Amino acid sequence: MSSIESRIAELRQQINDHNHRYYVLAAPEISDRDYDTLLNELAELEAAHPEFQSEDSPTRRVGGEALSEFTTVAHAVPMISLANSYDLQDIRDFDQRLQKLLAGKPYSYVVEPKVDGVAVSLRYENGKLVQALTRGDGRQGDDITENIRTIASVPLNLRGQVPEVLEVRGEAYMNRKGFLKLNREREEAGLAPFANPRNSAAGSLKLLDSREVAKRPLDAVWYGVGELKGIRFETHRGLLEALKEFGLRTPPLTRDCDDIEKVIQALDENLNARHEYAFEMDGAVVKVNQRALYDELGSTAKSPRWAMAYKYEPEQVETQLLSITVQVGRTGVLTPVAELEPVSVSGTTVSRATLHNWDEIQRKDVREGDTVIIEKAGEIIPAVVKVLTEKRPADARVFPEPHACPVCSQPVSKREEEVAWRCENPTCPAKSLSWTKHFVSRKAMNIDHLGEELIKVLLDAELISDPSDLYQLHQKRDTFLALDRMAEKSVQNVLDALEDSKDNDLWRLIHGLGIPQVGERTAQTLEEHFETLDELASATPENLEEIPDIGPIVAKSIISYFGNPIHQAFIERLREAGLRFTRKQAALQTAESPLTDKTVVLTGTLTQLTRDEAKELLRRLGAKVTGSVSKKTDILIAGEAAGSKLRKAQDLGIEIWSEQDLVNCIPTDPELPEGQLDLFDL
Ligand code: IVH
């Protein structure tokens, strides 16, 4: 072994050990900074020596390439769920049943917290993580291996003496702190916040791009097993201990209980401790400890007879609803909010609670002045559960449906398929910020130097009221310069970036318009079918629905967007500012391209192009870029250190190209208009 190879092996070992100490034993030995130093050294060595790259290196958790869809895989052993109970009597009945079924055989229990997350099954073969599946329908689930790999506490290799096959089952979740942080970021990005940590964990695990998943604060605990080869566990306690030895996190505060009275005591203790856990706990699980009895006890179609879940009701409290106010979200959605007499719920003081929408207000018959019961949905976001009508004062006020936006006073409307009232005024100040942020974002017009803070300053100074005003900024240069802390150079950078953006690809503009339902992909599809923005704007629903991937809902949203006079005026302002309204890829497409209509997958590290540039180039050369290799793939473009995708493509006999092969496809016709060959302009 070379000294570099052995240093790499040593670093991997050290980092895995520190991960284990940090995540599983909760007893870190080194500072975050020292840990990062080790990780950086490893990453640098691996980058310089791609021959020593390895799929299970601790550096390979940042996520791989995006998938086009998840593969469905059958579970080796079905993933069944648990019978639920809400009542301590159910728990006593459960014990009575066991006594009868076991006819005098001794048994005891383990009580564990019930983690409110997403059930996941991991498969380790000879100690190596080979697959992670969702529960799905219990018989088959989605392969989310790439996403699970991004969770730092999930070992890629088990420690110690490993069995041939070990399937572990548990729960992936988002802890409270991570959930609140993610929601703050989502709101800043104009995205709908998740209702609770469970939804946010589920939503994160369903992302097709594991690089995005890597940014989500996910964690997991493991409390059960599926298929086993070369190992057995006598007791559940033994199983938990063995999992821990293998380096897997197990639930905290599990309790051994000799009899049902001890179980009831443990359930009570668990309930009292629930707010101390970093994760959401929606109950406790009571399990027979002696695994040897499991076969004998068997299971019903849905759940095993040797375990039962005891669910806690969310904590509810009574308070006064003082008034109802209305918030305007970034997409213009109006949300009624209950302003409450402050009360303490689940350990925090609550003074506001969402009423979701006007249908909810009507359904629950909520009035200003009412006495209401509130709870924290998913233990985080307070919601009004019901009204105590018997306590309603004579002067309680009905809260009417809105007619106008409370921020800009423009009329509001309700779309057919939606419950929400919306402010459709694109220049509503509450919406301008998010719209402008979206317009300049990397995936839309990609305008540098215009961060959120600067956009806020420009909006506050009334230099802009929507993104079209950005293109008038050069005429207001002096006022712009006079703004707080604006240096000559910064102003020039912004103006230059804006000027450059005028010649962007058409799809970037289409995306930047902010048409509901039209994301980056759809915008690109639309560009392929319409040569100009005006053609798109005058398309009929039939024209649009003819396009693969565009369904009636998207078509309707596009038609409604372009039919709105406010949007028409906005588009005219962009036209006057000189933005490109026509697609420009014709030159590249007409050039002879061996990639026309080919399905292409990119893998490995590219050195001449960024991945986005490569994708853009491929698209403009007429190819379709997908995330995973299958029989339908025509060409695999393999960058440096390509791994499993390359092997799979070789196995399938798929044509393999280098990055240089792709670069060679860029036409070099000197008659092409200037700038078209500049890759960084793509
Ligand atoms: S045992 C065959 N233990 O709650 C029984 N489940 O409502 C396997 N859950 O399906 C489940 N914490 O997804 C078990 N400590 C725990 C759990 C737990 C959360 C989930 C699991 C289960 C669901 C039932």
Side-chain angles (χ1 to χ4, degrees), residues 58-66 145-151 208-215 611 645:
T59 54
R60 302 292 282 272
R61 287 189 186 267
V62 283
E65 292 155 35
T145 315
E146 289 303 314
N147 290 352
I148 290 293
R149 283 173 65 93
T150 67
I151 302 179
L208 289 163
D209 189 344
S210 53
R211 281 163 304 190
E212 289 301 313
V213 184
K215 296 182 203 152
R611 193 160 284 264
K645 289 192 187 181

Side-chain angles (χ1 to χ4, degrees), residues 79-98:
M79 280 182 87
I80 49 177
S81 190
L82 291 175
N84 280 330
S85 65
Y86 292 90
D87 194 319
L88 290 179
Q89 189 53 46
D90 291 340
I91 298 293
R92 293 187 202 277
D93 292 349
F94 164 63
D95 184 58
Q96 289 292 319
R97 273 198 306 279
L98 289 177

Side-chain angles (χ1 to χ4, degrees), residues 273-303:
R274 66 193 298 198
H275 306 307
E276 289 159 27
Y277 293 103
F279 52 81
E280 287 308 313
M281 190 178 88
D282 60 343
V285 183
V286 184
K287 295 177 181 174
V288 169
N289 189 29
Q290 289 70 20
R291 289 180 51 88
L293 300 175
Y294 287 10
D295 275 349
E296 193 171 326
L297 291 168
S299 47
T300 67
K302 282 204 200 122
S303 49

